[in-house]
Amino acid sequence: QVHVVESGGGLAQPGGSLRLSCAASGSIGSINAMAWYRQAPGKQRELVAAINAGGATKYGDSVKGRFTISRDKAKNTVTLQMNSLKPEDTAVYYCNLQGRRLFMTRANNYWGQGTQVTVSS
């Protein structure tokens, strides 16, 4: 099995910073991409940031210039550094792994349980 676990959520003040981490474990054959999504109450889930196996990144328009995604391939972890936080960043943040289980050809998406980020003064 493949397991995805997020950590690092919490409370921050506007203008502050938080760093989220996502660790993948289990029978992982290969990882195509890892990403962060978020969902605020009453709103659609949206892409925050993604990084593929080659290191190419993409960001949601609302976080460009403020958030940075990075990956440690050796540890199968991905980090989201969030700077200049705004109240509208408040949401549950979910880590997504797109990859293959060991010995499997088909790629799947694996999700973490989510971690709450609250930005408030």
Side-chain angles (χ1 to χ4, degrees):
Q1 294 183 350
V2 175
H3 298 94
V4 179
V5 180
E6 303 100 333
S7 62
L11 177 66
Q13 293 186 340
S17 298
L18 284 174
R19 186 167 69 178
L20 306 183
S21 295
C22 174
S25 63
S27 301
I28 302 171
S30 62
I31 298 174
N32 297 329
M34 297 184 73
W36 287 95
Y37 291 79
R38 69 186 183 187
Q39 187 168 22
K43 295 185 177 181
Q44 295 283 336
R45 183 179 63 182
E46 65 176 344
L47 174 70
V48 177
I51 184 167
N52 69 15
T57 60
K58 63 179 179 181
Y59 296 91
D61 290 340
S62 64
V63 307
K64 288 180 179 178
R66 299 188 298 119
F67 292 7
T68 302
I69 189 169
S70 60
R71 181 186 171 194
D72 185 336
K73 292 184 178 181
K75 298 180 179 179
N76 285 334
T77 61
V78 65
T79 297
L80 183 69
Q81 179 66 47
M82 304 186 294
N83 297 325
S84 302
L85 285 164
K86 303 175 180 179
E88 50 263 43
D89 294 320
T90 297
V92 177
Y93 285 69
Y94 298 92
C95 182
N96 171 264
L97 182 156
Q98 183 187 81
R100 298 175 175 86
R101 290 175 59 191
L102 192 65
F103 309 125
M104 300 294 289
T105 300
R106 180 180 177 180
N108 270 317
N109 286 287
Y110 302 91
W111 293 89
Q113 80 288 348
T115 185
Q116 177 71 47
V117 171
T118 301
V119 183
S120 176
S121 60

